[in-house]
């Protein structure tokens, strides 16, 4: 611990005195400029130290990244550091390496990686120099009375492992040094138990564990298990939880406990990957295929991929678990880069549900429901089992339309339909799911004046309404982004389902993930086909994973459960594989296709996106960026290994009055792509002279 006095400004900055000792620092700052910035200090400062420095007319918190014998610019121009922040030890080397790697791999300035991933207080000048800074955020946080840790947890007994689990645990615990493990286990096969045992082993060896989950919603259930099994046994609160739902102070406290080694397990969503863990000995990435591991703005990193890099860098094991691994990870397991461990049976005395395809081409559907599904629901409800109706579309209806002239409700700011929503009190409104714009529902058609405006298609609200008519005695709950807007409401709704206070659950993908429903006998899937025919080459992979996952909610604790998928295309390989619960078959089929056309994982991609008020400006910028490559063969020596596609407008080209276009870059060689991108990005400032255009680069994009 450092003495509070060291938090005070090191010295009043003044003109550079040639006789005073000078230390030349290279500092990373969170500014959209490449490179590091030169500062001078009259004290020795360790790499990794945070400092407050003047930048233009502002002051900023930066991280000292290098120490130099000489400044890289004229010494007289180098400004002095204003304050050396010593409330924390310097950021550790491995954290610096991780940040460097991420910056280089994702082509971002180092400061834009390092600073945003720190808790807010640690990177805000006002937290140190404001009127009420009180010694800085760390001192304030430490002074606060710690909330009592969950001491009321009852220790839970560990189940006897089955053979598959035992083998997996033994393999993982036997790993010395780095190894990436792909734990492929069907839903309900007890992957969590394997994670727990592996974590226990690492803890017993005095190491810390980073346990990553894709979504906040999955943390409460796991938090309980971890506390019951590990914390209660350890006798103190060794668990820290970190996700974007935490208040700044809570996040800082969790971060500090982990960084100081007080917390031994960090359970968190993607942002947790950047937490310093001094004794890290094991990383677990649950549901590793999940797209939520990908950050979608700023530094567009994949926390899963960084987890593998971090494990490699530290020489420790990383376990990637899923019932439907990403094809990238599956491919790595097939080529022997990852160690494949499989759990092939459900852990409890339960079977996988039977998956039935209902061919809807020749069926009269009522409100989107086939007679098969309705009958099956009736039977389950009679047997006092729960039913889940899955529909990945929220709202009442995806569009409102005029029966006489064909007018459809459209967002004025986006190239998209507006979705009809039932607000509280039965009021209707139209909402754009792209820009969030909301408008009144017109009384009559704006084009022809006809009053016969009809909702077209259906979302979860409409299905819920119809189910309430069909099953008046059933207790129905809907879980989607609308019904769970308030903090804690998702947890409350799920708790009701777990407590058996819900008979029919209607929901979007939110219900598909992770939950261990004990009395769910039937899952009905509506409108799956809309996910099949998307432009994106990953659409079938995503659909398969999503349906496997939602199907996996059924029959976890009971026999004879069933999944009914309504489709117009029952012969599609995705659906056929689902009926056999055949991830491997599907993966082989999909990988063969990908290989044939040279798509990931057989190629590596990056996406340059441009946005402007006018599409032409965005397209011009992208064309110039592409042409630049051909015009400078000397700078791009390996350009023959790179494929640059033509710029194209995005499918939803306009969002909130901004037009968007993209340019895809592809290579069969990752090093070649990396080398190409870094040269290309260096040229961007000179290409992006038109300030009306904003651009960004995404490496390994998930959506194209
Ligand atoms: P997954 O994460 O693979 O979908 P879970 O870890 O949720 O599966 O396990 C499914 C259920 O099986 C849970 O209720 C869990 O407590 C239980 N379970 C796990 N392993 C065993 C075991 N060896 N014996 C009995 N029950 C088990
Ligand atoms: Zn009309
Ligand atoms: Zn809109």
């Amino acid at each position: 611990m450092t003495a509070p006095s060291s938090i005070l400004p090191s010295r009043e900055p003044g003109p550079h005195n040639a006789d005073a000792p000078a230390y030349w620092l290279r500092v990373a700052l969170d500014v959209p400029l490449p490179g590091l910035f030169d500062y001078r200090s009259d004290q020795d400062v360790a790499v990794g130290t945070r400092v407050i420095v003047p930048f233009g007319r502002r002051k900023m918190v930066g991280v000292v990244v290098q120490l130099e014998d000489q400044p890289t610019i004229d010494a007289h121009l180098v400004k002095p550091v204003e304050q050396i922040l010593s409330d924390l030890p310097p950021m550790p080397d491995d954290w610096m390496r991780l940040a460097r790697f991420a910056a280089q791999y994702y082509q971002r300035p180092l400061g834009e990686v390092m600073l945003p991933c720190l808790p807010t207080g640690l990177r805000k000048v006002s937290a140190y120099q404001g009127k009420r800074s009180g010694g800085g955020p760390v001192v304030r946080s430490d002074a606060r009375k710690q909330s009592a840790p969950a001491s009321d947890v009852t220790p839970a007994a560990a189940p006897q492992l089955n053979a598959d689990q035992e083998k997996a645990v033994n393999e993982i615990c036997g790993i010395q040094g780095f190894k990436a493990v792909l734990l492929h286990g069907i839903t309900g096969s007890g992957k969590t138990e394997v994670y727990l045992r592996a974590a226990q082993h690492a803890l017993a060896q005095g190491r810390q564990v980073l346990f990553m989950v894709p979504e906040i919603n999955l943390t409460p259930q796991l938090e309980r298990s971890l506390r019951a099994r590990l914390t209660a046994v350890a006798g103190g609160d060794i668990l820290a939880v970190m996700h974007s739902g935490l208040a700044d102070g809570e996040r800082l406290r969790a971060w500090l406990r982990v960084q100081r080694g007080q917390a031994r397990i960090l359970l968190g969503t993607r942002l947790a990957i950047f937490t310093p863990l001094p004794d890290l000995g094991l990383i677990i990435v649950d549901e590793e295929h999940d797209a939520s591991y990908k950050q979608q703005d700023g530094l567009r990193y994949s926390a899963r991929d960084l987890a593998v890099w971090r494990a490699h860098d530290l020489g420790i094991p990383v376990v990637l678990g899923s019932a439907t691994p990403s094809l990238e990870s599956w491919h790595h397991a097939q080529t022997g880069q990852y160690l494949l461990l499989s759990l092939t049976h459900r852990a409890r005395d339960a079977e996988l549900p039977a998956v039935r395809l209902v061919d809807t081409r020749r069926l009269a559907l009522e409100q989107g429901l086939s007679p098969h599904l309705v009958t099956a629901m009736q039977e389950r409800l009679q047997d006092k089992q729960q039913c889940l109706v899955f529909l990945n579309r929220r709202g009442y209806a995806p569009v409102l339309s005029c029966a006489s002239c064909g007018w459809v409700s459209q967002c004025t700011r986006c190239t998209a339909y507006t979705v009809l929503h039932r607000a509280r009190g039965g009021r209707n409104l139209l909402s754009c799911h792209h820009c969030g714009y909301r408008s009144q529902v017109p009384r009559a058609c704006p084009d022809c004046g006809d009053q016969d405006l009809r909702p077209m298609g259906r979302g979860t609200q409409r299905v819920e309404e119809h189910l309430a008519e069909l099953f008046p005695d059933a207790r129905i709950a809907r879980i989607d982004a609308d019904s769970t807007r308030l903090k804690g409401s998702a947890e409350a709704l799920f708790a009701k389902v777990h407590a058996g206070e819900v008979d029919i659950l209607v929901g979007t993908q939110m219900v598909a993930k992770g939950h261990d429903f004990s009395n769910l006998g039937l899952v009905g899937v509506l409108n799956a086909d809309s996910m099949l025919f998307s432009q994106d080459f990953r659409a079938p992979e995503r659909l398969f994973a999503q349906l496997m996952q939602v199907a996996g909610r059924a029959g976890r604790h009971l026999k004879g459960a069933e999944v009914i998928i309504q489709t117009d295309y029952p012969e599609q390989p995705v659906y056929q594989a689902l009926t056999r619960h055949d991830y491997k078959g599907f993966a082989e089929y999909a990988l063969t296709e990908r290989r044939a056309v040279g798509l990931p994982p057989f190629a590596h991609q990056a996406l340059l996106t441009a946005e402007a008020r006018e599409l032409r400006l965005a397209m011009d910028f992208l064309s110039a960026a592409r042409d630049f490559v051909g015009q400078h063969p000397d700078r791009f020596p390996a350009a023959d290994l790179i494929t640059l596609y033509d710029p194209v407008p995005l499918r939803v080209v306009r969002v909130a009055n901004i037009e968007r276009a993209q340019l895809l870059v592809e290579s069969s060689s990752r090093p070649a792509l990396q080398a190409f991108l870094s040269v290309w990005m260096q040229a961007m400032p000179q290409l992006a002279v038109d300030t009306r255009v904003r651009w960004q680069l995404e490496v390994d994009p998930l959506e194209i």
Side-chain angles (χ1 to χ4, degrees):
M1 289 267 76
T2 33
S5 64
S6 60
I7 294 155
L8 299 173
S10 53
R11 193 203 275 186
E12 273 305 294
H16 178 39
N17 171 356
D19 297 333
Y23 297 90
W24 305 106
L25 316 179
R26 303 272 288 150
V27 175
L29 295 174
D30 185 10
V31 290
L33 295 170
L36 301 169
F37 301 88
D38 285 62
Y39 288 93
R40 170 169 61 78
S41 164
D42 50 18
Q43 297 175 25
D44 202 355
V45 181
V47 164
T49 304
R50 290 167 310 124
V51 288
I52 294 180
V53 295
F55 185 79
R57 265 181 276 161
R58 293 192 291 160
K59 294 180 199 171
M60 301 185 90
V61 173
V63 178
V64 177
V65 169
Q66 275 159 239
L67 308 174
E68 301 289 347
D69 293 335
Q70 293 297 323
T72 61
I73 55 172
D74 186 343
H76 292 282
L77 299 175
V78 179
K79 291 183 191 160
V81 163
E82 182 168 309
Q83 186 177 347
I84 296 169
L85 300 176
S86 41
D87 52 351
L88 287 176
M91 299 303 295
D93 284 348
D94 69 305
W95 183 89
M96 302 285 285
R97 289 197 298 273
L98 176 67
R100 268 181 201 282
F101 169 76
Q104 184 205 332
Y105 188 82
Y106 295 110
Q107 307 287 338
R108 300 284 289 206
L110 188 53
E112 281 195 336
V113 176
M114 286 186 160
L115 290 141
C117 71
L118 292 174
T120 322
L122 300 182
R123 57 181 148 96
K124 262 199 342 212
V125 174
S126 62
Y128 289 91
Q129 300 191 338
K131 277 201 196 78
R132 303 170 57 189
S133 63
V138 177
V139 174
R140 286 203 308 277
S141 175
D142 288 346
R144 268 183 70 136
K145 227 177 92 206
Q146 296 295 315
S147 55
S151 53
D152 55 335
V153 279
T154 26
Q160 179 90 38
L161 296 182
N162 63 37
D164 279 352
Q165 285 174 317
E166 185 148 355
K167 173 166 188 294
V169 170
N170 286 341
E171 289 272 4
I172 295 167
C173 294
I175 293 170
Q176 303 289 327
F178 166 73
K179 182 108 230 168
V181 173
L182 181 60
L183 180 64
H184 175 226
I186 59 167
T187 52
S189 60
K191 290 186 287 297
T192 313
E193 191 56 39
V194 174
Y195 303 146
L196 284 172
R197 300 290 176 111
Q200 239 161 359
H201 178 80
L203 294 176
Q205 298 196 317
R207 309 298 293 270
Q208 285 175 303
V209 178
L210 171 58
F211 194 141
M212 301 217 292
V213 288
E215 281 199 10
I216 298 181
N217 293 324
L218 298 178
T219 53
Q221 209 172 2
L222 256 173
E223 192 181 338
R224 274 192 296 276
S225 308
L226 287 171
R227 283 198 196 284
R229 288 287 295 286
L230 305 177
T231 306
V233 175
D237 190 21
I238 58 163
L239 179 66
V241 179
M242 207 181 279
H243 52 68
S244 58
L246 296 184
D248 286 350
E250 290 174 300
R251 175 151 170 223
L252 175 61
R253 265 194 301 288
W255 192 93
L256 288 171
R257 286 178 56 229
V258 173
Q259 176 260 359
R260 290 167 174 166
Q262 292 158 348
R264 308 305 295 174
I265 317 168
L266 172 58
L267 171 64
T269 52
R270 64 173 179 262
L271 55 88
I273 189 62
F274 288 109
T275 313
L277 291 112
D279 303 316
L280 186 58
L282 172 68
I283 308 180
I284 295 163
V285 184
D286 191 22
E287 311 287 8
E288 67 87 29
H289 65 282
D290 199 296
S292 305
Y293 283 120
K294 187 82 194 251
Q295 165 90 10
Q296 287 301 351
D297 52 35
L299 176 75
R300 295 171 165 237
Y301 64 94
S302 155
R304 190 240 357 245
D305 294 349
L306 288 181
V308 175
W309 190 89
R310 195 169 177 182
H312 180 263
D313 180 61
L314 291 173
I316 59 170
V318 55
V319 178
L320 312 178
S322 177
T324 52
S326 64
L327 289 176
E328 281 80 2
S329 297
W330 186 253
H331 179 61
H332 287 325
Q334 297 305 307
T335 56
Q337 262 174 286
Y338 292 178
L339 171 66
L340 179 64
L341 299 173
S342 300
L343 308 180
T344 50
H345 305 286
R346 280 202 154 175
R348 288 173 177 271
D349 188 20
E351 314 142 2
L352 282 173
V355 176
R356 177 150 62 113
L357 302 176
V358 170
D359 185 343
T360 41
R361 274 172 299 196
R362 279 176 291 277
L363 281 179
L365 301 185
E366 201 192 321
Q367 293 283 357
L369 303 179
S370 64
H372 307 66
L373 180 56
V374 174
T375 309
M377 286 180 76
Q378 265 155 1
E379 289 169 8
R380 297 286 165 173
L381 293 173
Q382 258 153 31
D383 291 349
K384 302 269 173 269
Q385 291 180 10
Q386 291 172 313
C387 301
L388 165 63
V389 177
F390 173 74
L391 171 63
N392 218 352
R393 192 187 260 169
R394 66 191 170 86
Y396 189 83
V399 64
L400 187 68
S401 154
C402 169
S404 44
C405 80
W407 170 89
V408 285
S409 57
Q410 262 168 324
C411 181
T412 52
R413 306 165 6 121
C414 309
T415 41
Y417 297 134
T418 46
V419 179
L420 186 65
H421 281 257
R422 284 269 141 97
R424 263 173 216 288
R427 260 188 329 114
N428 284 337
L429 56 86
L430 289 166
S431 152
C432 173
H433 286 190
H434 292 274
C435 72
Y437 185 76
R438 289 166 166 227
S439 56
Q440 304 271 315
V441 176
R443 279 172 199 281
C445 173
D447 282 0
C448 74
D450 196 302
Q451 298 205 339
D452 191 9
L453 297 181
R454 293 177 190 175
M456 303 284 287
R458 61 198 54 76
T460 44
Q461 285 185 322
R462 195 175 191 182
V463 169
E464 179 190 18
E465 181 185 276
H466 181 59
L467 288 170
E469 284 165 17
L470 274 179
F471 304 104
D473 299 330
R475 296 161 298 173
I476 304 179
R478 172 167 58 87
I479 298 189
D480 56 26
D482 298 315
S483 72
T484 56
R485 205 142 270 169
L486 295 176
K487 198 179 172 184
S489 56
E491 225 197 330
L493 277 169
F494 280 118
K496 277 178 100 173
V497 180
H498 288 298
E501 291 162 23
V502 170
D503 302 312
I504 303 175
L505 177 61
V506 182
T508 56
Q509 52 167 13
M510 276 187 74
V511 300
K513 289 181 186 169
H515 285 274
D516 192 14
F517 300 124
S518 55
N519 191 32
L520 186 68
L522 176 70
V523 172
V525 179
L526 311 186
N527 205 26
D529 296 340
S530 68
M531 290 186 276
L532 186 59
F533 298 106
S534 137
Q535 307 276 322
D536 196 322
F537 72 87
R538 284 196 176 85
E541 179 185 357
R542 235 174 268 141
L543 176 62
F544 184 85
Q546 197 161 65
L547 294 189
M548 276 284 258
Q549 213 153 38
V550 71
R553 296 314 106 208
R556 294 171 76 90
H557 299 247
L558 53 83
K559 288 211 162 114
E562 188 182 37
V563 177
I564 292 180
I565 301 174
Q566 299 189 166
T567 171
D568 281 352
Y569 307 91
E571 69 291 341
Q572 282 284 324
V574 178
Y575 294 129
Q576 288 298 322
L578 276 163
T579 61
R580 300 188 304 263
H581 299 281
D582 185 10
Y583 169 80
K584 276 188 204 176
F586 172 75
E588 266 162 39
Y589 159 82
L591 281 173
T592 310
E593 265 200 352
R594 298 259 186 106
R595 187 196 296 273
V597 288
L599 282 169
F602 305 99
H604 308 281
Q605 298 180 323
L607 202 55
L608 183 64
T609 307
E611 304 181 339
R613 291 260 162 193
E614 283 173 65
L615 182 60
R616 184 184 53 83
L617 296 174
M619 293 288 281
D620 285 353
F621 164 75
L622 293 177
S623 299
R626 191 198 46 186
D627 295 345
F628 180 85
V629 178
Q631 290 154 2
H632 297 86
D634 49 318
R635 294 202 210 173
F636 298 98
D640 54 325
L641 290 174
I642 305 291
T643 308
L644 283 163
Y645 288 84
D646 287 334
V648 288
L650 261 69
R651 193 178 53 81
V652 178
V653 59
R654 188 162 44 93
V655 167
N657 288 327
I658 301 291
E659 311 258 349
R660 306 162 320 153
Q662 66 186 23
L663 164 57
L664 179 66
V665 190
E666 206 172 72
S667 176
S668 58
S669 154
R670 196 189 283 286
L673 180 64
Q674 281 290 313
F676 170 83
L677 292 177
S678 59
V679 178
W680 205 33
M681 287 302 113
Q682 276 162 25
M684 278 304 147
Q686 81 186 72
L687 285 164
V689 280
D690 191 337
T691 52
R692 293 171 297 176
V693 180
R694 290 173 51 114
W695 64 270
Q696 64 204 6
L697 181 79
E698 181 172 9
V699 179
D700 301 332
L702 277 186
E703 276 172 61
I704 294 174

